[in-house]
Amino acid sequence: MKRPVSHLLFALLLAPLALGTTACSGELDPTSPGDAYTLFRDALFEKEEDIVWERLDPESHAYFQARYERLVQMNELIESYLPQTDHRLARSQSGAELIASVSDGRELFDYVFEKAQMPQDDAIIFGSGIQEIRVSEDGKSALVLTRGQQEFVMAQAEDEAWQINLVDSGDFLDTSFGWLTRNEEALAKTVEDLIAEERQKREAIIAELMNLN
């Protein structure tokens, strides 16, 4: 099991991009897909996690909640099946120790965002600017293509404001949280092996008792 990387989502999200001069955020209209994306991008560089979270759609919010719940499940597996002496190390190596710092998906997002090292580079900033916007025929979704050839899927909320769907925007989230999937699989294998070992011990004891008769 591997320890989670400190950058996770946002360093991976922005590394290939490249910010030009933008309008003042107060002048931007979130009911415009381009302005909504720019609000999101500017908030990333300014490290304004509340605005970034607000600009994400419900599916993206649900993704972080699901990842938090998986951390809780891993912690429960550790408590239920691993020896007490191994709990601290297992929590550290699996990432389950994060539940001591966060209590839901939003707090997990905040934790990841605070740990991210945001690049401060003119080329990266320029490349994150919009090159093209494609709106779907029904007007409910859009695709923002940046100068750095990154694609961001946009979804329109009931109030007509546009939000970023990170789940469908490339493999940012899967790449960032790949460590969680790997650790979960490794922990499950460890638990499976422990259960099998205990079963063999019980079967050996039963066989010995039957031979005594």
Side-chain angles (χ1 to χ4, degrees), residues 78 82-94 97:
I78 290 169
L82 269 62
Q84 180 71 36
T85 53
D86 294 341
H87 285 187
R88 184 173 181 177
L89 178 61
R91 288 193 182 99
S92 173
Q93 291 183 333
S94 68
E97 64 180 357

Side-chain angles (χ1 to χ4, degrees), residues 15-123:
L17 302 180
L19 232 181
T21 304
T22 64
C24 173
S25 295
E27 301 172 357
L28 299 175
D29 179 8
T31 63
S32 161
D35 283 2
Y37 165 77
T38 301
L39 285 167
F40 166 78
R41 181 199 67 172
D42 291 354
L44 279 176
F45 284 98
E46 294 298 326
K47 296 284 287 183
E48 297 174 330
E49 65 265 24
D50 289 342
I51 296 177
V52 174
W53 181 259
E54 179 185 347
R55 299 262 54 85
L56 297 180
D57 74 335
E59 188 175 357
S60 301
H61 292 172
Y63 181 96
F64 282 93
Q65 181 62 28
R67 292 304 175 273
Y68 167 76
E69 291 172 0
R70 286 171 67 174
L71 288 172
V72 172
Q73 291 168 1
M74 285 200 296
N75 187 62
E76 291 173 348
L77 284 175
I78 290 169
E79 290 185 347
S80 298
Y81 294 101
L82 269 62
Q84 180 71 36
T85 53
D86 294 341
H87 285 187
R88 184 173 181 177
L89 178 61
R91 288 193 182 99
S92 173
Q93 291 183 333
S94 68
E97 64 180 357
L98 285 180
I99 66 171
S101 304
V102 302
S103 60
D104 57 23
R106 169 61 201 270
E107 291 188 4
L108 176 60
F109 164 84
D110 287 345
Y111 179 89
V112 171
F113 191 87
E114 289 169 5
K115 294 294 183 181
Q117 300 295 319
M118 304 305 293
Q120 297 296 325
D121 184 286
D122 289 343

